[in-house]
Amino acid sequence: MTVSALVAQSDTPVKRNIIQFTGVVFAPDSNSVIPGVHVYVPTAGRGTTTNPYGFFSLPVLEGDSLVFSAVGFKRQFYIVPEHKESTSLKVLITMQEDVTLLSEVEVFPYPTEAMFKEAILSLETPYQKQYNNLNAWLSSDYMSSAYADLPASPNANHQYYMQMQMQAIQNKYQTPQNNLLNPWAWSKFINSLKKGN
């Protein structure tokens, strides 16, 4: 009889009260508040963040384990106690600083300004290869030779583009014409030879 009673009691779920958990998070000096502190319940996956005044408000259950974490401060843990007087609980949390000492770094300056300039100018940017290619394509020698190869007539490029576009439209739905058997193409070719083009 006693065993069955114990089993029956263990099977019944324990009802936990919902409590509005509010408070303010202070720095170790107790004079300044800490904004942006994460207050969360890991098991439930819910939480909040303190506002610029260090204030937070979060609904929790009795027995919940809360974690307070912020950059530069040690984590604080808080277990919500049984609270039968009212449905709200107000606390003041003081967090301790988490100071990390870094190893010493020595900075040696260059002996002269000329050595410093030489070292800076010898550095290469992450995209130095692309910059070198760009400068090579935009060099004055290449641009001069490319400009010299352009046709004399300013409309020649436009005319060539229009001819290629018309030829592409003609060849879209039929086989391309064979200019070797076209008398008009031969006369145009012979005229261009006479003109020296």
Side-chain angles (χ1 to χ4, degrees):
M1 194 70 169
T2 307
V3 174
S4 62
L6 289 175
V7 172
Q9 286 181 357
S10 64
D11 289 342
T12 58
V14 178
K15 183 180 179 183
R16 298 191 295 171
N17 295 328
I18 300 175
I19 298 172
Q20 191 64 32
F21 186 58
T22 59
V24 180
V25 180
F26 287 93
D29 58 5
S30 299
N31 291 329
S32 57
V33 297
I34 307 175
V37 177
H38 298 286
V39 184
Y40 60 98
V41 184
T43 57
R46 63 178 183 273
T48 186
T49 307
T50 58
N51 65 6
Y53 306 104
F55 176 80
F56 67 92
S57 181
L58 176 69
V60 296
L61 298 174
E62 290 179 348
D64 278 350
S65 178
L66 285 90
V67 179
F68 295 81
S69 66
V71 177
F73 295 91
K74 295 179 180 179
R75 287 188 176 185
Q76 298 279 359
F77 301 93
Y78 186 85
I79 298 176
V80 179
E82 291 185 7
H83 199 69
K84 298 185 182 297
E85 291 81 10
S86 63
T87 58
S88 65
L89 176 62
K90 302 174 181 65
V91 295
L92 299 177
I93 302 292
T94 302
M95 299 189 71
Q96 301 298 322
E97 292 183 351
D98 187 11
V99 179
T100 302
L101 297 177
L102 301 176
S103 57
E104 182 180 355
V105 177
E106 296 183 1
V107 179
F108 297 99
Y110 286 90
T112 62
E113 184 178 351
M115 291 180 66
F116 176 73
K117 288 181 180 179
E118 183 180 353
I120 293 296
L121 293 176
S122 65
L123 292 176
E124 289 191 357
T125 61
Y127 303 101
Q128 188 64 41
K129 186 176 181 181
Q130 288 83 346
Y131 292 147
N132 292 340
N133 290 338
L134 183 63
N135 292 331
W137 280 98
L138 296 178
S139 64
S140 58
D141 297 337
Y142 176 79
M143 296 299 286
S144 300
S145 62
Y147 182 75
D149 294 339
L150 289 176
S153 173
N155 296 328
N157 287 336
H158 178 69
Q159 291 175 359
Y160 176 76
Y161 174 76
M162 295 300 291
Q163 288 175 358
M164 292 296 104
Q165 188 176 16
M166 182 60 70
Q167 185 177 355
I169 293 172
Q170 290 175 353
N171 297 338
K172 188 172 184 180
Y173 299 107
Q174 61 187 7
T175 56
Q177 61 182 356
N178 187 356
N179 286 328
L180 292 176
L181 304 176
N182 186 356
W184 301 106
W186 278 103
S187 65
K188 185 176 180 182
F189 174 70
I190 293 171
N191 289 335
S192 64
L193 287 177
K194 288 180 181 179
K195 293 179 181 177
N197 294 332

